[in-house]
Every structure is written in C-alpha cells, then in structure tokens.
Amino acid sequence: MRMLAEFFPEFAEKLDDLDALYKEKRMIDEKTYQFICFALSIKGRSKPCVLKHFKGALEAGATVEELTYILALTMREAAGADDCWTHEVIGDWQEIIAGNIKCDCEK
C-alpha cells in the first residue's frame, strides 16, 4: 500500500472507500467479520493483517481459544484443498512416470 499511496493515491483512496462501504453494508457481526478476515489473512500470508484481525477479533469479544480454532480450521481447509488439487494434477502419475505427460515448464 505504501507504493500505491505514494504513486497512485487515487487507487489507495478507492480502497479506503471500499472499506467504508463494507463497514456500512455489513450484514454480519464484528466478531464474525474479524474471524473471516483473520482466516483470509492467514491464507494470504499477510503478517500485518493477521495481527490486525487477531487483535480486532479479541476486541470484538473473541477468545484466544476461538482464534486458535479458526487457525486450525483454516489450516485444515487449506490442507484439504491442497490435497484435492494435487491429486487432480498428478492423478495420472503412472502416465507422468511413463513420460506421456509433459510439463509446460520443461524446456
């Protein structure tokens, strides 16, 4: 965001406008909102956002135990998605070994 704020402030301002709109139109309670943002921040690997939403969830009444559950749930769902996707990609592993399937990355 620092580069955006410096070199494309109009865009950064629009993001602020989106944040305000989300807050105005929010149909879920603050704690649920913070849980969702916390999980997305974990998946996005954003340290500042993880910290922001961890603290925001606590301020919205969440417990450390609930946040630990959200962390575990996020990790489990990610593992399941990774498992399904990877098996889809290498489902024809015997054909890969046989040399019948080539990777686009091979030169």
Side-chain angles (χ1 to χ4, degrees), residues 38 54 63-75:
F38 179 61
F54 183 89
T63 65
V64 173
E65 290 81 7
E66 288 175 313
L67 285 159
T68 302
Y69 175 82
I70 298 298
L71 170 60
L73 178 62
T74 303
M75 291 174 62

Side-chain angles (χ1 to χ4, degrees), residues 65-93:
E65 290 81 7
E66 288 175 313
L67 285 159
T68 302
Y69 175 82
I70 298 298
L71 170 60
L73 178 62
T74 303
M75 291 174 62
R76 173 60 188 102
E77 286 302 309
D82 289 346
D83 179 60
C84 292
W85 180 83
T86 303
H87 279 94
E88 182 179 317
V89 171
I90 61 171
D92 293 329
W93 61 271

Side-chain angles (χ1 to χ4, degrees), residues 30-45:
E30 181 67 19
K31 188 166 111 174
T32 302
Y33 170 80
Q34 292 296 334
F35 282 164
I36 293 168
C37 291
F38 179 61
L40 290 169
S41 298
I42 292 166
K43 285 303 299 160
R45 299 181 58 89

Side-chain angles (χ1 to χ4, degrees), residues 103-107:
C103 172
D104 291 340
C105 61
E106 293 178 2
K107 295 184 181 209

